[in-house]
Amino acid sequence: MNSALSRSSTHYDPHHNVLCIVAGCKQVVLWPSSASPSLYPMPIYGEASNHSSVALENPDFSLYPRAECSIKYSQKVILHAGDALFIPEGWFHQVDSSDLTIAVNFWWRSNIMSGMLEHMDGYYLRRILRRLTDKEMNHILQKASSSGMEKQKMHTHKLLSNGEADHNHRDLVQACEQNDLQEKGQQQRVSLHVLEPYALQVLHELVSLVHDRVNLIDQSQLVESTSANDSAVNMKGQYDKTATTNLFVLEDDPVAKILWTLDPYTIQNVLLAMAHNFPRTLEALILHLLSPVGAEVLTRKFDEMDQQITEENRNKFYEVFYGAFDDQFAAMDAILNGKESFALKAFHNVLDKYLGVTFDVRKLSTG
């Protein structure tokens, strides 16, 4: 009961709740448990661990930037006398009450909470699983021994010492010279000439992988490309992967292995050169050859690169990179979906190793 206007803090309860209004009016704003990151829960070791640390009526977005997204995850309900609202356990909520309000709560423990000692156990479990999943993802990538990565680098340096880089350089420049857009071609030739020999060799290997491992299903549907060297992988056609690699093992994925060896500066230059000179090849690489482990490696390299270049250069890079795609959102989806599949595989491994729980990853990822 309350005799004046009041507002509860934003919090969740460890029990299911039916809130019944006897008199007056209440406004309830609800957030599902999945919205927890945007509400910044209080530290798990404190007494108010089930409360948000953000004052949602006047949030400081400089301190809590994710809180700006909290509104789109919320649902608002107005309750009058005779109304009842079910609030599931774990759902954050904030309640505003009018003056002279009477309400009755009916509480009960869920099946999950009945098996736990206290309300934070579920949160602890989620945090532990998150950390174990991150550890498993790192383990999957680092299973590729340093000697294996060194072999990849030695292979490239061997080609360089044998003079194959110069030959590849000439092939790439010649391909660009065949471009129908002469003015654009001149700009592209300049961008290739400034690449270091190692970057040129990497670029050649990536282009070769696409041309070797992507086949056209229906040649009759092929639409002529504006670039002669890119016509073999024109995205207007349909493709079928010939690769039979393990989608989650770095050692078995030639694209992921190449990306894994690159420093941020080199990967930036190689991808920019692909975007300028071989946009359809880059499109095929990302949309059709990028496996889950490849997507994870690529995004990690992006993160490294972002830390080492200015915001202006970072924005220019992504503008050029995604601008090479006919459908930029398809490229983003391909990378993020691959990264999510990799994380799901790691999560499956964690459940199997530590909890003895198994499930069909393929069904879960397509459900």
Side-chain angles (χ1 to χ4, degrees):
M1 300 178 61
N2 63 284
S3 58
L5 296 176
S6 66
R7 165 172 286 177
S8 75
S9 62
T10 302
H11 68 285
Y12 71 86
D13 297 306
H15 303 89
H16 290 320
N17 175 25
V18 174
L19 172 62
C20 304
I21 309 302
V22 177
C25 176
K26 286 181 181 286
Q27 173 185 283
V28 184
V29 183
L30 299 138
W31 293 265
S33 55
S34 59
S36 295
S38 67
L39 295 171
Y40 294 87
M42 297 288 280
I44 60 176
Y45 49 79
E47 293 296 324
S49 54
N50 60 323
H51 288 248
S52 170
S53 57
V54 184
L56 294 177
E57 61 275 8
N58 187 27
D60 185 346
F61 294 135
S62 64
L63 293 177
Y64 307 104
R66 294 193 302 272
E68 198 166 2
C69 302
S70 64
I71 298 300
K72 71 178 182 179
Y73 295 118
S74 67
Q75 302 176 54
K76 184 183 294 184
V77 181
I78 306 295
L79 303 176
H80 299 278
D83 291 336
L85 174 67
F86 171 58
I87 305 176
E89 63 98 357
W91 278 53
F92 278 90
H93 52 281
Q94 182 183 69
V95 182
D96 290 293
S97 301
S98 65
D99 55 355
L100 193 56
T101 301
I102 303 174
V104 178
N105 293 292
F106 294 89
W107 308 90
W108 73 99
R109 302 188 74 182
S110 67
N111 290 335
I112 293 178
M113 293 307 300
S114 295
M116 297 183 179
L117 294 177
E118 55 102 8
H119 80 279
M120 287 304 297
D121 285 356
Y123 179 74
Y124 294 145
L125 178 60
R126 288 193 295 271
R127 293 289 294 176
I128 291 170
L129 287 175
R130 173 72 264 180
R131 291 175 182 176
L132 288 174
T133 301
D134 289 342
K135 181 179 179 180
E136 179 66 16
M137 291 167 67
N138 292 332
H139 177 66
I140 292 174
L141 292 178
Q142 292 168 0
K143 275 173 58 177
S145 65
S146 57
S147 62
M149 293 299 97
E150 286 302 318
K151 287 180 181 179
Q152 177 72 22
K153 292 181 179 179
M154 288 176 62
H155 167 69
T156 302
H157 287 300
K158 182 178 180 182
L159 294 177
L160 292 174
S161 63
N162 290 339
E164 292 194 27
D166 292 336
H167 176 71
N168 294 337
H169 190 176
R170 290 193 299 271
D171 288 345
L172 290 171
V173 173
Q174 183 179 8
C176 289
E177 288 174 343
Q178 296 172 0
N179 195 314
D180 294 336
L181 303 177
Q182 295 299 324
E183 181 179 354
K184 185 178 180 182
Q186 179 63 33
Q187 295 173 352
Q188 292 171 343
R189 288 194 295 275
V190 170
S191 67
L192 282 181
H193 279 299
V194 300
L195 285 180
E196 296 178 353
Y198 178 69
L200 273 172
Q201 181 59 35
V202 169
L203 176 60
H204 181 270
E205 291 194 14
L206 288 174
V207 171
S208 297
L209 277 172
V210 175
H211 284 256
D212 290 344
R213 309 187 78 162
V214 178
N215 293 330
L216 288 169
I217 293 178
D218 188 355
Q219 290 282 351
S220 65
Q221 295 182 5
L222 185 65
V223 178
E224 185 175 358
S225 171
T226 58
S227 174
N229 68 286
D230 256 359
S231 63
V233 288
N234 191 300
M235 295 305 295
K236 301 295 184 183
Q238 298 179 7
Y239 301 94
D240 179 37
K241 286 185 183 180
T242 59
T244 57
T245 60
N246 187 324
L247 299 179
F248 301 98
V249 178
L250 182 60
E251 300 99 314
D252 295 341
D253 189 321
V255 172
K257 284 173 65 177
I258 291 174
L259 297 178
W260 188 245
T261 64
L262 303 181
D263 61 84
Y265 177 77
T266 301
I267 199 169
Q268 178 186 13
N269 289 337
V270 168
L271 292 179
L272 285 176
M274 288 192 76
H276 283 301
N277 298 283
F278 310 98
R280 299 288 71 79
T281 302
L282 177 62
E283 201 166 26
L285 176 71
I286 299 300
L287 297 183
H288 298 278
L289 264 72
L290 194 67
S291 68
V293 67
E296 177 66 23
V297 169
L298 180 62
T299 53
R300 291 192 180 208
K301 292 297 179 178
F302 281 169
D303 289 341
E304 292 179 15
M305 183 187 70
D306 291 347
Q307 297 298 318
Q308 298 186 22
I309 62 178
T310 64
E311 182 178 359
E312 181 181 1
N313 288 336
R314 183 164 63 245
N315 292 338
K316 287 182 179 178
F317 168 79
Y318 289 116
E319 181 180 355
V320 173
F321 176 79
Y322 286 110
F325 297 85
D326 288 337
D327 186 344
Q328 296 183 21
F329 294 105
M332 295 177 186
D333 286 343
I335 295 172
L336 293 178
N337 289 340
K339 184 178 177 67
E340 184 175 302
S341 296
F342 183 78
L344 179 61
K345 172 63 175 177
F347 180 67
H348 169 267
N349 292 350
V350 167
L351 292 181
D352 184 38
K353 286 181 181 179
Y354 298 99
L355 299 178
V357 176
T358 59
F359 60 85
D360 192 327
V361 175
R362 292 169 298 180
K363 289 183 178 179
L364 186 61
S365 61
T366 59

